[in-house]
Amino acid sequence: MPKYCEITGKKVTSGNNVSHSNVKTRRKFHPNLQTKKFYVPEEDAWITLRVSAHGMKIINRKGIMKCLQEAEAKGLIRL
């Protein structure tokens, strides 16, 4: 399973935990990834994508086909 959003390209980033005494230790920020099935009416098929919550909002706004074409152009997925 990929550790990045297949629509937006969001992935794990790193930063610091900062304590009350201002001691910094490294940590990771993970995207809110969900495994979701989408119906593609043009192909009459269901596809499973690993998308972030923000990616789901983009799919709702633009439509699944346009998002898949943009993700393929970015190199995030292969159709």
Side-chain angles (χ1 to χ4, degrees), residues 9-11 14 18 24 27 29 33-35 37-38 44-45 47 53 57-58 64 68-71 73-74 78:
K10 287 186 178 198
K11 58 185 179 183
S14 61
V18 181
K24 294 166 185 73
R27 63 161 291 186
F29 293 95
L33 294 178
Q34 311 292 323
T35 302
K37 287 174 74 173
F38 295 96
D44 192 35
I47 60 166
K57 287 177 70 174
I58 291 173
I64 185 67
L68 289 174
Q69 290 167 351
E70 290 175 359
K74 289 180 192 173
R78 288 184 288 160

Side-chain angles (χ1 to χ4, degrees), residues 32-60:
N32 183 11
L33 294 178
Q34 311 292 323
T35 302
K36 185 109 170 90
K37 287 174 74 173
F38 295 96
Y39 180 70
V40 182
E42 289 85 352
E43 298 177 6
D44 192 35
W46 289 88
I47 60 166
T48 303
L49 294 175
R50 188 101 188 256
V51 295
S52 63
H54 183 65
M56 284 189 229
K57 287 177 70 174
I58 291 173
I59 290 171
N60 286 338

